[in-house]
Amino acid sequence: MIQNNLDPAVAQHPEELITYGGNGAVFQNWAQYLLTMKYLSEMTEEQTLHMYSGHPMGLFPSSKEAPRVVVTNGMMIPNYSQPDDWEKFNALGVTQYGQMTAGSYMYIGPQGIVHGTTITVLNAARMKSSGGPEGKLFVTAGLGGMSGAQPKAGNIAGVVSITAEINPKAAYKRHEQGWVDEITSSTDEAIDMALEFQANKRARSIAYIGNIVDLWERMVERNVHVDLGSDQTSLHNPWAGGYYPQGMSYEESNEMMANNPDEFKVRIQETLKRHVKAVNALVENGMYFFDYGNAFLLESSRAGAEIMDEDGELFRYPSYVQDIMGPMCFDYGFGPFRWVCASGDGADLDKTDAIAQEILEGLMAKAPKEIREQMDDNIRWIKGAKENKLVVGSQARILYADSEGRIEIARAFNKAIAAGEIGPVVLGRDHHDVSGTDSPYRETSNIYDGSSFTADMAIQNVIGDSFRGATWVSIHNGGGVGWGEVINGGFGMLLDGSDEAERKLENMLLYDVNNGIARRSWARNKEAIFAIEREMQRTPNLKVTVPKLVDKNVLNNLDF
Ligand SMILES: NC(=O)c1ccc[n+]([C@@H]2O[C@H](COP(=O)([O-])OP(=O)(O)OC[C@H]3O[C@@H](n4cnc5c(N)ncnc54)[C@H](O)[C@@H]3O)[C@@H](O)[C@H]2O)c1
């Protein structure tokens, strides 16, 4: 799993030990990598390797039941967790930015994000407009590591999309890989092509090489009706290349960033103000705009853009988790479950796809109406997964599944391994999930009881998984929305076909999903209350504190 994160076909800057997201590191330097490989090659099943932000502290005696590796990345004393602190302490070599699946050895290339983006765009189109996705226009920015999945996901979801990318190299790379269909440096040509595809209801994707703000402003001038709008530039890292200012080329911007960082910051903030102004104009014209988990709303507010609502308290626009991913997926326990066939054999992946499909179809037959659409989308995804040629690097698959689905699929894999039908399988998930991540501007942005600024859930999750059978666990500061803005964790679990593996997977996966559902239910999210009550009926040993909802009329008429 470490080698896959650093494979030149997979990683963004493998020579710098960076997997994705601009600064998502596996190690801080190559000495750490070599030492880690040495420890892994000689350790026993009664030792655990402890990793401090890429630094292998060493092998400590433990037990067979314990995780083989425990990973922490970027853990800071809270008062020292500002972006500038990261620059300083990373330069000192004492901490690193692990993103989510970079420093936790669970990255599976762009496939993971394609699935999540497809679900988001599809549901945004369903929810925010009448009719299906056909002929709807989706406009966004970024053709980088993760953001490069947007055009492909747009095609799978069935919409027409334009994605702006300032770096010509990144845009051409995605075009050559077949992840985006058309490419142009002209705003007008991009718009004209999109209008034509819309008229013919053809799901096609267009890359516009240039600044996203130029595209938005031209759309306002031409009064184009956009159905869905978003942004996936790297605004979690605005001053060091995550977001590029308007009116300058990519090269000029990079030079200013290095030689005149103060002026660069001013230009970024001016650009963000214009960016939001153009988006606001298109929203008045009927566009549905959502933050795509890249700190767009947060950084726009810091830049003084008109991004707050009338009271100045809340952002004008929702995050994709508030409107879509939270209530439709996370609150029911659906999240980015994934597996990797350790044999590296594509035939094993085909067999696991078939097993997962059969399990999901069986569960669909008895699924309550509340989750049938999610199940249906995921069955369609797994059926088309091979055809969509999503594997880059290891033979891996992502599939949104709930607690029951994850356990049933994992159990069936373990049985197939025991029967010699497939080789061992590594289970895991993105940190961006039901329980793994506390992030008030992303994963937990649909939690409204005030607890979205706490990180107990993510910490409980990693501790809980570690003693229920995970092969390795990790907990990170930063990832997605930025250093100091999120705590996220995950696990890896090796299935080897043994009875022990079956016991571990049942125990750990149940906790790994239901920890988050319980917390979401306690925050009074109705979908999560439904899901946890259903799980308690299935699992008598599970006893969760559920909220007793107060009748609003009683509450509002209290006489003090
Ligand atoms: N929603 C999710 O599930 C999710 C998942 C992963 C990453 N993210 C977030 O999305 C962001 C992008 O991730 P990534 O891995 O693609 O990063 P990346 O840095 O590889 O890609 C961002 C791209 O945006 C381009 N860009 C920057 N400013 C621009 C501008 N003004 N106009 C046009 N293009 C511009 C850059 O050239 C770059 O290629 C990050 O903030 C990341 O944390 C969200």
Side-chain angles (χ1 to χ4, degrees), residues 157-174:
V159 299
V160 176
S161 66
I162 310 181
T163 310
E165 170 56 62
I166 189 76
N167 178 358
K169 228 172 115 185
Y172 282 113
K173 186 174 163 192
R174 290 301 182 198

Side-chain angles (χ1 to χ4, degrees), residues 447-510:
I447 287 187
Y448 303 104
D449 68 345
S451 70
S452 57
F453 291 91
T454 66
D456 294 299
M457 177 179 74
I459 299 292
Q460 289 283 349
N461 215 72
V462 79
I463 296 172
D465 283 359
S466 73
F467 64 79
R468 287 184 173 87
T471 311
W472 72 96
V473 288
S474 63
I475 186 87
H476 302 185
N477 168 20
V481 283
W483 184 254
E485 305 286 358
V486 49
I487 300 292
N488 58 87
F491 72 88
M493 176 180 257
L494 179 73
L495 299 183
D496 58 5
S498 63
D499 292 345
E500 206 174 54
E502 180 160 331
R503 182 175 50 78
K504 285 179 175 178
L505 76 86
E506 286 169 354
N507 198 3
M508 199 211 76
L509 291 177
L510 184 95

Side-chain angles (χ1 to χ4, degrees), residues 371-524:
I371 58 169
R372 292 185 77 86
E373 193 169 71
Q374 291 87 329
M375 302 277 297
D376 198 42
D377 286 347
N378 292 314
I379 290 171
R380 225 174 320 141
W381 166 265
I382 196 77
K383 277 185 177 165
K386 187 172 183 191
E387 201 181 301
N388 282 320
K389 295 196 179 79
L390 296 156
V391 172
V392 178
S394 294
Q395 295 295 324
R397 183 67 70 221
I398 180 169
L399 175 66
Y400 267 61
D402 64 357
S403 171
E404 191 181 20
R406 299 185 207 204
I407 294 170
E408 294 285 331
I409 291 169
R411 202 189 276 130
F413 287 171
N414 201 47
K415 286 198 178 5
I417 299 165
E421 291 161 18
I422 52 173
V425 169
V426 175
L427 299 182
R429 58 165 176 74
D430 193 358
H431 290 193
H432 171 271
D433 195 6
V434 181
S435 315
T437 296
D438 277 299
S439 175
Y441 300 108
R442 210 166 88 170
E443 286 78 356
T444 42
S445 59
N446 74 322
I447 287 187
Y448 303 104
D449 68 345
S451 70
S452 57
F453 291 91
T454 66
D456 294 299
M457 177 179 74
I459 299 292
Q460 289 283 349
N461 215 72
V462 79
I463 296 172
D465 283 359
S466 73
F467 64 79
R468 287 184 173 87
T471 311
W472 72 96
V473 288
S474 63
I475 186 87
H476 302 185
N477 168 20
V481 283
W483 184 254
E485 305 286 358
V486 49
I487 300 292
N488 58 87
F491 72 88
M493 176 180 257
L494 179 73
L495 299 183
D496 58 5
S498 63
D499 292 345
E500 206 174 54
E502 180 160 331
R503 182 175 50 78
K504 285 179 175 178
L505 76 86
E506 286 169 354
N507 198 3
M508 199 211 76
L509 291 177
L510 184 95
Y511 175 75
D512 185 64
V513 181
N514 284 289
N515 168 43
I517 301 180
R519 183 268 179 104
R520 289 164 185 276
S521 145
W522 183 239
R524 302 189 292 280

Side-chain angles (χ1 to χ4, degrees), residues 12 145-147 165-166 212 232 234 236 244 292 320 442 480:
Q12 197 176 21
M146 296 270 111
S147 48
E165 170 56 62
I166 189 76
I212 179 63
Q232 242 189 67
S234 273
H236 73 275
Y244 279 78
Y292 215 151
Y320 70 115
R442 210 166 88 170

Side-chain angles (χ1 to χ4, degrees), residues 42-60:
E42 60 189 33
M43 71 188 293
T44 72
E45 288 194 356
E46 296 198 341
Q47 287 174 310
T48 294
L49 174 62
H50 289 263
M51 301 293 301
Y52 282 38
S53 282
H55 172 69
M57 192 54 80
L59 296 173
F60 290 74

